[in-house]
Amino acid sequence: MVSKRWTAAVLSGLLITATLSGCGGDDGDSGSGGGDGKLVLGFSQVGAESGWRTANTKSIQESAASAGVELKFSDAQGKQENQIKAIRNFITQRVDVIAFSPVVESGWDTVLKEAKDANIPVILTDRAVDSQDTSLYKTFIGSDFVLEGKKAGEWLVKDYEGKTDPVNIVELQGTPGAAPANDRKAGFADVIKADPKFKVVASQTGQFTRTDGKQVMETFLKAQPKIDVLYAHNDDMGLGAIEAIEAAGKKPGTDIKIITVDAVKDGMTALSEGKINYIVECSPLLGPQLMDLAKKVKAGETVPQRVLTEETTFTPEQAKAVLAERKY
Ligand code: AHR
């Protein structure tokens, strides 16, 4: 005959097992699942430095809601240490999938190994990391920033075709160490180096913000006797620089040609007004693809290691044609 004590022990054992698997104890599964069976996605955002970033956050939050994904959103306010802390919190909470847009490219191996050891898949969105071990993340969805820099350089080369006078360029770089700052600089430099008339006379970070873009442009205008072209790594810095150029009594887009990256609504408006001459698009609308990839990764499906965003470029005429429907 089975003793009452033995039956109670078995029942309580079953209860513990059921509870653990219900809330995702370390059972070899890749995470917890929401209490209501929803996929739980921990997302660490860079911050809110630009119009692009605001649109990206909105896309992720709205897509999570419509895809039935429980989103745990954390804003790193531009600091890598905050992102590392957020990722560790996601690991402790045993979310199903972790996604993040890295503030800078390097210094991620330790925390990514912790996620891997905890069996929680990681998706990189928007920006890459420089880890040699690509098994530390499942996929990387975002733009080709080198190509964006190249497109900016190619427009410039074409615009000055047949001219021989020196072309003095000032460059507003993104956040130091961030993939889009490194790559957009490299891509642009790679194209313009073929012609010695192009000279980058000053290059400094404007932190991807309007305020810093304006301040740094003021410094450039005071220090440089002749500026022909401004290449800004994003629209916001370009828009800040436009304020500085106008305050200095010059005409943006005419006295100083301006090339930017992103194509957010404010940038497109300035482009349609002729204050910016050319914009290379970088799409922030990564939310729907991210939700799709997170579901596939959670289900154990194989996903491509790299998912590239499709993007275009805009002249003032093209900006005028699409401005009314521009969503961000
Ligand atoms: O990583 C994408 C870049 O980050 C955007 O081009 C810029 O505006 C943002 O801050």
Side-chain angles (χ1 to χ4, degrees):
M1 188 165 139
V2 181
S3 81
K4 270 192 189 157
R5 197 185 291 167
W6 188 88
T7 313
V10 169
L11 279 177
S12 85
L14 281 176
L15 197 64
I16 288 165
T17 311
T19 312
L20 273 179
S21 49
C23 72
D26 199 359
D27 55 1
D29 193 357
S30 61
S32 62
D36 47 6
K38 277 184 173 180
L39 182 146
V40 181
L41 174 67
F43 183 79
S44 170
Q45 179 61 286
V46 170
E49 73 283 3
S50 62
W52 189 100
R53 191 62 55 197
T54 308
N56 179 245
T57 294
K58 194 165 172 258
S59 169
I60 287 163
Q61 288 174 335
E62 287 178 356
S63 312
S66 53
V69 168
E70 186 184 326
L71 182 68
K72 290 183 186 291
F73 184 89
S74 172
D75 179 340
Q77 301 183 339
K79 294 199 175 90
Q80 184 178 31
E81 69 255 35
N82 289 347
Q83 282 199 308
I84 292 176
K85 217 183 280 172
I87 293 170
R88 291 204 168 117
N89 273 336
F90 294 148
I91 296 171
T92 308
Q93 291 173 53
R94 294 217 42 82
V95 300
D96 294 306
V97 179
I98 293 172
F100 76 114
S101 174
V103 174
V104 290
E105 271 187 289
S106 48
W108 297 103
D109 285 31
T110 306
V111 74
L112 289 180
K113 271 186 198 126
E114 289 169 26
K116 192 178 175 187
D117 291 346
N119 207 19
I120 300 178
V122 171
I123 298 175
L124 302 177
T125 77
D126 161 35
R127 298 178 177 184
V129 297
D130 64 4
S131 304
Q132 295 305 305
D133 181 359
T134 53
S135 78
L136 295 177
Y137 53 91
K138 292 286 176 197
T139 180
F140 164 35
I141 170 182
S143 312
D144 181 338
F145 297 134
V146 177
L147 184 64
E148 290 173 351
K150 284 189 175 172
K151 287 180 185 171
E154 279 157 10
W155 179 83
L156 189 64
V157 168
K158 197 144 185 267
D159 197 56
Y160 279 87
E161 211 168 47
K163 295 184 183 145
T164 50
D165 285 350
V167 180
N168 286 357
I169 304 162
V170 294
E171 180 180 33
L172 283 169
Q173 297 178 37
T175 320
N182 295 341
D183 295 353
R184 287 174 188 163
K185 183 175 175 50
F188 182 76
D190 197 37
V191 171
I192 62 162
K193 74 173 184 220
D195 188 338
K197 75 170 177 266
F198 295 113
K199 195 158 186 270
V200 178
V201 292
S203 180
Q204 212 176 299
T205 179
Q207 303 287 357
F208 279 132
T209 68
R210 228 176 257 218
T211 317
D212 286 49
K214 184 178 177 189
Q215 270 171 17
V216 178
M217 191 68 205
E218 283 166 357
T219 318
F220 286 164
L221 286 161
K222 280 183 193 139
Q224 299 299 327
K226 177 178 172 279
I227 299 173
D228 301 301
V229 175
L230 163 68
Y231 169 44
H233 290 187
N234 80 343
D235 288 346
D236 280 82
M237 292 189 295
L239 291 164
I242 287 173
E243 290 177 33
I245 293 168
E246 285 176 335
K250 291 183 191 287
K251 213 171 162 204
T254 306
D255 296 332
I256 298 178
K257 292 197 177 173
I258 303 179
I259 311 164
T260 64
V261 184
D262 275 357
V264 295
K265 196 139 194 175
D266 287 354
M268 293 288 272
T269 304
L271 180 64
S272 70
E273 293 166 352
K275 294 185 178 188
I276 295 179
N277 304 79
Y278 192 64
I279 299 186
V280 178
E281 186 184 38
C282 177
S283 176
L285 306 180
L286 305 178
Q289 273 173 301
L290 172 60
M291 299 311 142
D292 190 44
L293 286 167
K295 284 183 179 175
K296 286 187 171 146
V297 156
K298 165 70 180 158
E301 286 176 39
T302 311
V303 291
Q305 264 249 312
R306 179 76 168 101
V307 180
L308 261 179
T309 316
E310 273 181 38
E311 283 148 349
T312 183
T313 55
F314 294 99
T315 60
E317 294 67 39
Q318 290 166 329
K320 273 182 214 152
V322 298
L323 196 57
E325 306 103 64
R326 200 76 183 159
K327 290 205 177 63
Y328 56 91

